Amino acid sequence: MPDACVELLRGADLVLHAGDFVSAAFLEELRSLGPRVEGVHGNMDEPALKEALPKQHVVEFDGVRIGMVHDAGPRVGREARLAARFEDCEAVVYGHTHVPQAERFQHLWVLNPGSPTDRRRQPVHSMLVLRLRGRRITPELVTL
C-alpha cells in the first residue's frame, strides 16, 4: 500500500474494504493499522476469505448505514439496482471495477474508491475518504 494510503487508514475511525483482499494475511495487515475494518469478499479472494467474509454487508456507524458489496453488476442500471438493494442505507460502497465513483443517486451515495494498489486502466491509484457530520456524508476521492 502506498504510504499516503497507510497514513489515511491509520487516522480513520473505520475502514471499509469492498473486496479483493486476496489473502487473509493482507486482511490481518490492514487490521493491524488500528481502526475497525469491515469488508466483503471479492472474486480474487482466497477460499478462506470467501468463507469468513460476507458477500454483502451493511455497516452502521454513528447512525449512518452504509451498504457494501464487491461486484455491483453491469454498468447499465447499476445505480438503480444498488438503490433498490440498499434502500435503507445512506451510501453503498462497491469494488470490482477499480473505477472511482462518488455519485448521488436518489437517496444514496454510490461509491467506488478505485484502488490504491491496482489501478488497472485508471490514470491514478485512488481511495475514498468519507466524512460524516450527523447523517450527512461527504466523500472525497484521494489520488495516491
Side-chain angles (χ1 to χ4, degrees):
M1 289 185 292
D3 291 342
C5 174
V6 171
E7 184 178 324
L8 286 168
L9 294 174
R10 280 193 173 125
D13 295 317
L14 172 68
V15 174
L16 304 176
H17 195 292
D20 285 352
F21 293 92
V22 180
S23 70
F26 176 72
L27 174 56
E28 289 310 312
E29 179 183 340
L30 198 56
R31 286 178 172 156
S32 75
L33 296 177
R36 179 176 124 209
V37 176
E38 296 284 344
V40 293
H41 71 75
N43 60 299
M44 299 299 294
D45 289 331
E46 63 188 21
L49 284 172
K50 288 181 179 179
E51 289 179 25
L53 297 171
K55 181 176 183 174
Q56 177 176 308
H57 185 45
V58 174
V59 176
E60 189 163 330
F61 186 80
D62 283 349
V64 174
R65 292 175 55 84
I66 302 172
M68 300 178 69
V69 65
H70 178 66
D71 186 349
R75 173 70 198 105
V76 174
R78 178 180 294 142
E79 291 81 6
R81 280 192 313 278
L82 290 171
R85 191 174 185 178
F86 294 98
E87 64 185 352
D88 62 342
C89 292
E90 284 80 27
V92 62
V93 177
Y94 74 97
H96 193 60
T97 67
H98 296 230
V99 177
Q101 181 179 9
E103 180 180 338
R104 285 289 291 180
F105 182 83
Q106 297 173 1
H107 67 283
L108 190 71
W109 274 105
V110 177
L111 305 167
N112 186 315
S115 175
T117 58
D118 182 2
R119 63 183 175 87
R120 292 197 185 157
R121 294 177 292 276
Q122 299 307 303
V124 294
H125 293 96
S126 63
M127 64 188 288
L128 281 170
V129 172
L130 304 180
R131 296 190 190 338
L132 303 180
R133 182 168 286 157
R135 294 181 59 109
R136 182 177 179 189
I137 300 171
T138 304
E140 175 191 356
L141 181 67
V142 177
T143 58
L144 303 166

